[in-house]
């Protein structure tokens, strides 16, 4: 049978010439499955019989139309799936187009499979029994597939009327005599001539009564309603209901009959409302109502019900963010959290779990119409799963959850619910941790297998000062004298502490080795809602396995990455190893933010073909065989062209040649001879605490502000900070010597005012206890490491742009690595006003010179 992708349907039609719908229109869900029968005067007159199943109409061409006589067996030729909005199409298909001729909406209404018949499975087996309730035909029918002959291109079926109160023996053609449209009241001739009223909508009408059959020729008071599906009668609400859980899959299902929801990143919670009191329970049945008072208060008005959903915090982009949820709970600030709901298990005196998901969600949506935004309904898409998944990943969400729309609710892990993740994230059990000088450095984590807890690597990033303190306190409470790891256990090293396997952590990771060790892992938060025994090993997509059987090339944005598993940053006690593929994936993830600061500017690069612990190469000129994605740009006075990175593909090409660091000129884009910004490098002596560097950055900011310049701060990927000020383009050409002189004078004045703290010379003997104000980045061919560029240093740190609000006590530059920087940037949006901050040079220079 045709799938929900509608490829065949669309390939046969030119929508510039035919008024038939393309399927792009979203059709609202209905309590009951819908059907339409369209009388179609094409090459041969026939009746198109269409049943709504999942995302589409499954369709058959019934040559002589449906019959009310059980003795009649009508030939039904299976055709391609049609979009749901086709159920409102009535008109003329132009001659020369596929199916050219007149189409009438002959009948429409609702249908349901008979008990024991699941549409997908029944059609695959070749027999579907069902009942319909329309305006012209009613009662039971069966579709039976015939054996296909060698010359036949389509499956042929028989459409047979069941014997019931609607059957009429011998009435072979009587029902077909009712030859007016149920949507417009027009005849075929009137439709062909374009006369009469337009058809009233059915599929696209406003769902005021989702269970009502639309009788266009009757008054609303005479509308006949389909009996709403009822759940099992209840005297009282049941107790806690164990959740239905998802199975992890590499790819979402692509066929019809599935609803696809955005995967949420929060705490799964069951809401129970009874006698005006709302309570919230975790997946283990713990009562967490007091933690989420705002949600409970909003839910108390719903009436008696049990709802399944996810409690989440939202970031600035509206995405769910688990770290923010953890922080909100820790600080007791949960009023802004949102409870996203996706299933209704009980309502009033009914247990709805035996009803199809489509029915449960339709009732849930109606139940929530007047609730505040604290509680939100999770809608679903019925488009093909792979297309929904691709779109979700482009949006930057975690993934999608796919659910069978015709399935009941069953506790436990079922095939009817699946999850496919865009970002690599999962839960792990903490089996130990390492410390250095009393400071938390990394977590030792594992997953459950039949033989016990298997070691799955270290998690060395994702802790800021406050999180590290709270996490350390929790770890010391479960400290153990023996290792909990039964499989692939790590050795006990200096600074390592074992832990009872009680704590569950949520992590993100870059990839996973063939033997199941997480790489580039970052801590997101503890999961108090999930027992450690449930954290079992999951199947991981093959594309995420880096220690592959063969080191075959990978492709990102069409750029081939050879030896993708080659280690560029070796593992340390504080950090996992990072591969060439991890570098390429990171540069791809930050390209849109990084390129505005490097595109159009000649650059130098530092390459580490064999990793940062081997020989490094400095390169500024193009080499033989350079990637065509990397721009070659000529500069005055140099016979050889410089390399330049102008596109995302160029950044991937940089990763391919193991270009770990990118250092662009500080010119205006496309104008190497014109200064575009100043970079002040605050480089502390080894004995200077980082808090002093933070103070220096703020002082430099204040001095720049005093002369009318805006400034921006970033980490260097090491022990210092960069303060950057952009220049506006003006008619008066700014020369490099002027820019450098300005930078020197700014640093000289700052050092003169506090000679015990700052200096402007590089002599090591003079630097003890002081910060070198490096102005030398501001000459014509001088460079500074690009914003978001990685560094050739252990742990894969990056030069991270910051908001000035982040430049404060507790700032840890080393927490920004190729594993964490993209997520951190997306959350805070630093430098978003960089272009607006560009100021003219001349007025600032005049004010600075006046301060001499």
């Amino acid at each position: 049978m045709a799938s929900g992708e509608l490829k065949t349907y669309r390939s046969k039609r030119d929508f510039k010439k035919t008024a038939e719908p393309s399927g792009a229109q979203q059709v609202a869900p209905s309590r009951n499955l819908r059907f339409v029968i369209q009388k179609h005067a094409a090459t041969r007159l026939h009746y198109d019989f269409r049943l709504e199943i999942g995302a589409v109409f499954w369709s058959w061409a019934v040559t002589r139309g449906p019959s009310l006589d059980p003795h009649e067996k009508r030939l039904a030729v299976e055709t391609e799936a049609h979009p749901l909005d086709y159920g409102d199409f009535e008109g003329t298909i132009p001659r020369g187009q596929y199916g050219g001729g007149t189409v009438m909406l002959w009948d429409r209404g609702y249908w349901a499979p008979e008990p024991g018949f699941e549409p997908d499975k029944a059609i695959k087996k070749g027999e579907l029994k069902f009942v319909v309730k329309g305006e012209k035909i009613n009662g039971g029918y069966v579709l039976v597939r015939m054996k296909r002959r060698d010359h036949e291109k389509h499956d042929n079926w028989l459409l047979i009327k069941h014997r019931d109160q609607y059957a009429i023996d011998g009435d072979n053609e009587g029902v077909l005599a009712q030859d007016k449209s149920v949507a417009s009241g027009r005849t075929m001739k009137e439709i062909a001539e374009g006369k009469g009223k337009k058809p009233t909508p059915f599929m696209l009408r406003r769902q005021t009564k989702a269970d009502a059959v639309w009788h266009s020729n009757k008054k609303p008071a005479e509308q006949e309603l389909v009996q709403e599906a009822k759940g099992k009668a209840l005297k009282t609400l049941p107790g806690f209901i164990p959740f239905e859980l998802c199975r992890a899959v590499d790819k979402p299902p692509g066929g019809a009959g599935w609803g696809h929801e955005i995967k949420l990143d929060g705490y799964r919670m069951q809401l129970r409302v009874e006698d005006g009191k709302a309570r919230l329970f975790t997946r283990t049945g713990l009562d967490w109502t007091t933690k989420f008072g705002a949600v409970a208060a909003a839910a108390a008005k719903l009436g008696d019900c049990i709802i399944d959903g996810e409690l989440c915090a939202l970031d600035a982009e509206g995405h769910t963010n688990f770290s923010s949820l953890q922080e909100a709970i820790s600080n007791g600030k949960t009023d802004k959290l949102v409870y996203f709901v996706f299933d209704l298990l009980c309502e009033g005196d009914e247990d709805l779990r035996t009803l199809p998901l489509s029915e449960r969600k339709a009732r849930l949506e109606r139940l929530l119409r007047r609730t505040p935004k604290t509680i939100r309904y999770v809608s679903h898409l019925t488009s093909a799963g792979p297309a929904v998944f691709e779109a979700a990943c482009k949006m930057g969400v975690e993934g999608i959850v796919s659910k069978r729309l015709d399935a009941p609710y069953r506790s436990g892990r079922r095939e009817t619910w699946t999850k496919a993740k865009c970002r690599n994230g999962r839960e792990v059990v903490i089996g130990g941790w390492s410390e250095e000088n009393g400071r938390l450095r990394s977590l030792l984590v594992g997953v459950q297998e039949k033989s016990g807890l298997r070691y799955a690597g270290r998690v060395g990033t994702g802790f800021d000062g406050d999180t590290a303190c709270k996490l350390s306190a929790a770890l010391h409470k479960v400290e153990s004298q023996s290792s909990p790891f039964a499989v692939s256990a790590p050795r006990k090293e200096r600074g390592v502490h074992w832990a009872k396997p009680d704590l569950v952590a949520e992590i993100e990771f870059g990839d996973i080795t063939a033997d199941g060790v997480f790489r580039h892992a970052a801590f997101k938060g503890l999961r108090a809602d999930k027992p450690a025994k449930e954290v079992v090993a999951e199947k991981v997509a093959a594309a995420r396995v880096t220690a592959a059987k063969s080191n075959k090339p990978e492709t990102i944005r069409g750029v081939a990455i050879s030896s993708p598993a080659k280690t560029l940053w070796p593992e340390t006690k504080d950090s996992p190893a990072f591969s060439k593929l991890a570098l390429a994936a990171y540069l791809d993830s930050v390209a849109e933010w990084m390129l505005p600061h490097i595109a159009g500017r000649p650059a130098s690069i530092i390459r580490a073909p064999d990793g940062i612990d081997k020989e490094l190469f400095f390169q500024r000129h193009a080499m033989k065989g350079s990637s065509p994605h990397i721009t070659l740009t000529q500069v005055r006075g140099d016979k050889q062209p410089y390399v330049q990175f102008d596109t995302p593909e160029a950044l991937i090409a940089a990763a391919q040649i193991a270009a770990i660091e990118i250092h662009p000129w500080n010119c205006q884009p496309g104008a190497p001879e014109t200064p575009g910004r100043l970079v002040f490098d605050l480089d502390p002596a080894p004995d200077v605490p980082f808090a002093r560097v933070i103070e220096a950055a703020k002082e430099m900011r204040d001095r720049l502000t005093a002369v009318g310049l805006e400034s921006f701060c970033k980490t260097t990927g090491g022990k210092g900070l960069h303060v950057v000020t952009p220049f506006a383009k003006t008619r008066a050409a700014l020369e490099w010597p002027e820019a450098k002189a300005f930078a020197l004078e700014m640093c000289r004045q700052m050092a003169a005012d506090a000679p015990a703290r700052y200096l402007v010379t590089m002599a090591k003997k003079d630097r003890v206890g002081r910060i070198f104000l490096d102005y030398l980045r501001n000459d014509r061919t001088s460079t500074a490491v690009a914003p978001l560029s990685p560094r050739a240093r252990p742990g894969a740190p990056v030069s991270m742009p910051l908001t000035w609000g982040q430049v404060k006590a507790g700032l840890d530059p080393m927490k920004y690595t190729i594993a964490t920087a993209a997520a951190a940037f997306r959350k805070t949006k630093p430098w978003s006003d960089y272009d607006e901050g560009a100021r003219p040079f001349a007025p600032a220079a005049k004010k600075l010179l006046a301060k001499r």
Side-chain angles (χ1 to χ4, degrees):
M1 187 64 193
S3 74
E5 294 179 342
L6 300 173
K7 289 181 180 178
T8 303
Y9 169 83
R10 289 170 176 146
S11 68
K12 292 182 176 182
R13 291 160 175 82
D14 184 347
F15 296 105
K16 294 180 180 178
K17 297 179 180 179
T18 179
E20 296 165 280
S22 66
Q25 182 75 38
Q26 185 71 29
V27 175
S30 169
R31 283 190 180 184
N32 300 283
L33 297 171
R34 292 158 286 197
F35 83 91
V36 296
I37 300 175
Q38 288 162 312
K39 186 175 181 179
H40 191 172
T43 304
R44 295 181 181 178
L45 180 67
H46 63 276
Y47 292 76
D48 292 313
F49 191 87
R50 312 193 194 281
L51 298 177
E52 178 187 8
I53 301 177
V56 295
F57 275 125
W58 292 30
S59 301
W60 294 262
V62 184
T63 53
R64 293 172 55 202
S67 173
L68 301 183
D69 187 350
H71 297 98
E72 281 287 309
K73 297 179 175 64
R74 294 295 167 88
L75 177 66
V77 180
E78 182 179 324
T79 64
E80 75 275 12
H82 281 54
L84 292 181
D85 51 348
Y86 203 96
D88 283 343
F89 176 70
E90 183 176 274
T92 300
I93 302 172
R95 297 295 177 185
Q97 288 295 297
Y98 178 76
T102 303
V103 177
M104 171 197 283
L105 285 164
W106 184 81
D107 199 11
R108 59 190 182 185
Y110 296 92
W111 77 279
E114 287 192 357
F117 284 80
E118 295 183 23
D120 279 1
K121 294 180 180 178
I123 288 176
K124 287 180 181 178
K125 290 181 180 179
E127 182 180 280
L128 173 62
K129 294 181 179 180
F130 59 99
V131 293
V132 298
K133 189 167 185 65
E135 296 194 37
K136 295 178 181 178
I137 66 168
N138 288 278
Y141 282 84
V142 62
L143 277 164
V144 181
R145 185 171 57 226
M146 302 168 65
K147 185 175 181 180
R148 186 187 290 193
R149 299 172 184 173
D150 293 339
H151 68 280
E152 292 176 333
K153 297 181 179 180
H154 303 281
D155 284 332
N156 290 331
W157 299 65
L158 296 175
L159 177 66
I160 308 169
K161 179 75 182 76
H162 279 164
R163 184 167 295 283
D164 54 29
Q165 69 268 35
Y166 299 104
I168 302 176
D169 288 336
D171 189 7
N172 296 339
E173 306 297 335
V175 69
L176 300 182
Q178 302 179 43
D179 199 26
K180 286 189 177 181
S181 166
V182 296
S184 66
R186 298 184 293 177
T187 63
M188 291 289 281
K189 182 180 178 182
E190 289 172 331
I191 294 171
E193 293 174 351
K195 296 179 179 179
K197 297 179 180 180
K198 292 183 179 180
T200 53
F202 175 54
M203 304 301 296
L204 296 174
R205 70 187 176 88
R206 186 177 179 183
Q207 299 288 324
T208 54
K209 285 185 177 290
D211 56 347
V213 178
W214 186 264
H215 294 278
S216 60
N217 297 322
K218 294 184 179 181
K219 296 178 181 179
E222 298 173 341
Q223 288 184 357
E224 182 180 2
L225 300 182
V226 175
Q227 183 66 34
E228 182 185 77
K230 292 289 185 180
K232 182 180 178 181
L234 290 172
K235 291 184 179 180
T236 59
L237 289 179
F240 176 75
I241 300 172
F243 290 112
E244 181 161 354
L245 304 173
C246 297
R247 291 196 180 277
V249 295
D250 293 342
K251 297 180 180 179
W258 291 86
H260 308 285
E261 302 169 352
I262 295 297
K263 187 178 184 306
L264 303 167
D265 195 8
Y267 277 145
R268 185 86 173 270
M269 304 294 292
Q270 187 171 114
L271 170 66
R272 178 191 178 94
V273 184
E274 189 173 21
D275 297 330
K277 182 179 180 181
R279 292 195 292 167
L280 290 156
F281 297 91
T282 69
R283 67 174 64 213
T284 58
L286 297 176
D287 190 335
W288 277 18
T289 308
T290 56
K291 295 180 184 288
F292 310 118
V295 171
K301 303 175 183 178
L302 290 174
D304 290 3
C305 62
I306 297 179
I307 293 175
D308 192 355
E310 190 114 350
L311 202 290
C312 302
L314 300 180
D315 62 19
E317 292 183 342
H319 296 159
T320 56
N321 186 292
F322 187 75
S323 297
S324 297
L325 174 62
Q326 288 276 292
E327 183 179 355
I329 295 173
S330 177
N331 297 331
K333 298 179 180 180
T334 61
D335 289 354
K336 294 184 179 180
L337 299 182
V338 178
Y339 183 46
F340 289 94
V341 297
F342 41 71
D343 214 326
L344 181 60
L345 311 189
C346 298
E347 183 181 17
D349 59 356
E350 293 179 77
D351 185 338
L352 308 180
R353 285 176 286 174
T354 58
L355 299 183
L357 174 63
S358 56
E359 170 71 17
R360 301 195 308 270
K361 289 198 70 174
R363 291 180 63 161
L364 176 62
E365 186 175 19
R366 289 194 298 276
L367 178 66
L368 298 172
R369 280 176 180 167
R370 295 184 179 180
T371 55
K373 292 184 178 180
T374 308
I375 304 175
R376 300 186 193 178
Y377 172 75
V378 177
S379 59
H380 61 270
L381 296 173
T382 53
S383 307
V388 177
F389 181 63
E390 182 180 357
C393 293
K394 288 180 179 179
M395 288 168 57
V397 300
E398 188 174 355
I400 65 172
V401 173
S402 304
K403 303 173 182 178
R404 286 290 315 184
L405 293 171
D406 56 359
Y409 189 95
R410 298 188 182 98
S411 300
R413 206 171 296 279
R414 304 287 177 179
E415 298 292 344
T416 51
W417 284 23
T418 69
K419 61 181 178 181
K421 294 185 178 181
C422 304
R423 301 198 303 264
N424 301 336
R426 62 153 301 160
E427 297 90 21
V428 292
V429 178
I430 300 176
W433 75 95
S434 67
E435 290 182 347
E436 184 177 350
N437 297 326
R439 181 184 178 188
L440 177 64
R441 303 305 300 176
S442 64
L443 302 176
L444 283 66
V445 301
V447 292
Q448 301 285 2
E449 292 186 344
K450 290 182 179 179
S451 51
L453 188 66
R454 173 175 62 77
Y455 176 65
R458 290 177 181 255
V459 179
T461 59
F463 325 118
D464 59 24
D466 188 49
T467 300
C469 289
K470 293 178 180 178
L471 183 55
S472 292
L475 291 169
H476 281 287
K477 290 180 180 179
V478 295
E479 186 169 5
S480 172
Q481 296 303 311
S482 58
S483 171
F485 298 105
V487 184
S488 303
R491 287 193 223 171
K492 179 70 178 287
E493 301 174 356
R494 183 178 179 182
V496 167
H497 302 257
W498 300 126
K500 297 175 185 177
D502 296 337
L503 298 180
V504 176
E506 178 90 5
I507 66 169
E508 281 189 344
F509 61 95
D511 43 32
I512 187 171
T513 66
D515 55 351
V517 173
F518 297 108
R519 297 161 68 85
H520 323 158
F523 176 78
K524 294 177 65 182
L526 290 177
R527 297 208 66 123
D529 63 322
K530 189 163 188 176
K533 64 182 180 181
E534 290 187 11
V535 182
V536 297
E538 292 181 357
K539 180 182 178 182
V540 180
R544 298 174 186 166
V545 179
T546 55
K549 295 178 181 177
S550 61
N551 202 0
K552 294 182 179 179
E554 295 276 354
T555 300
I556 298 179
R557 291 185 183 263
V559 181
I561 306 297
S562 62
S563 303
K566 176 179 283 187
T567 297
L568 298 184
W569 286 271
E571 183 176 6
T572 69
K573 65 178 181 179
D574 299 322
S575 170
F578 292 96
S579 65
K580 186 198 285 190
L581 182 61
L583 171 62
Y586 166 73
L587 290 174
D588 182 41
S589 71
V590 299
E592 65 174 298
W593 307 315
M594 188 175 180
L595 284 171
H597 303 289
I598 64 174
R601 299 171 176 90
S604 301
I605 55 177
I606 294 177
R607 297 173 56 192
D610 298 311
I612 67 166
D613 55 343
K614 301 295 191 300
E615 187 174 2
L616 303 180
F617 295 88
F618 175 83
Q619 179 185 332
R620 62 163 64 111
H621 296 122
M623 297 179 66
K624 187 177 181 180
S626 291
S627 168
H629 296 292
I630 299 175
T631 304
L632 304 184
T633 184
Q634 204 73 45
V635 299
R636 177 173 53 80
D638 202 325
K639 294 181 179 180
Q640 291 183 280
Y642 269 73
V643 294
Q644 189 169 289
F645 302 91
D646 296 335
T647 64
E649 290 78 9
L651 290 175
I652 309 305
Q656 161 59 14
I657 60 174
I660 287 180
E661 298 188 8
I662 298 177
H663 295 249
W665 284 24
N666 291 312
C667 59
Q668 293 285 2
E673 305 307 320
T674 305
R677 61 191 172 213
L678 296 181
V679 177
F680 297 93
D681 183 2
L682 311 181
D683 185 8
D687 60 335
V688 175
F690 190 67
R692 288 260 309 277
V693 184
I694 292 173
E695 293 172 3
K698 291 180 177 179
E699 182 177 344
M700 182 63 76
R701 174 198 61 187
D702 294 342
R703 287 176 177 270
L704 290 167
T705 301
V707 297
L709 296 177
E710 293 291 328
S711 57
F712 301 84
C713 189
K714 67 184 180 75
T715 67
T716 63
K719 58 186 179 179
L721 290 173
H722 282 170
V723 177
V724 182
T725 184
F727 290 140
K729 294 181 180 179
T730 58
R731 292 184 179 180
L734 173 62
E735 301 291 338
W736 282 107
E738 294 178 274
K740 184 178 180 181
F742 180 96
L744 171 59
E745 180 61 23
M746 178 64 71
C747 293
R748 189 196 64 75
Q749 290 186 20
M750 186 166 164
D753 290 343
R757 299 172 68 89
Y758 309 119
L759 76 164
V760 292
T761 60
M762 296 181 64
K764 288 186 178 181
K765 63 182 181 64
D766 298 327
R767 293 186 59 188
V768 176
R770 294 196 282 181
I771 297 172
F772 171 43
L773 305 179
D774 186 353
Y775 62 93
L776 300 172
R777 310 282 176 180
N778 303 296
D779 216 340
R780 177 174 174 271
T781 58
S782 297
T783 63
V785 66
L788 292 166
S789 170
R791 303 304 304 268
R793 295 170 180 170
V798 306
S799 178
M800 183 67 183
L802 304 168
T803 66
W804 278 112
Q806 292 174 291
V807 185
K808 61 182 180 180
L811 172 63
D812 180 6
M814 301 310 293
K815 77 175 183 179
Y816 300 111
T817 71
I818 66 171
T820 63
F825 192 100
R826 186 179 293 110
K827 180 179 180 181
T828 60
K829 291 292 194 307
W831 292 31
S832 58
D833 55 347
Y834 181 88
D835 289 341
E836 291 75 15
R839 298 290 184 266
F841 172 79
K846 185 176 181 180
K847 289 182 180 180
L848 181 66
L849 292 176
K851 292 177 177 289
R852 280 184 172 179

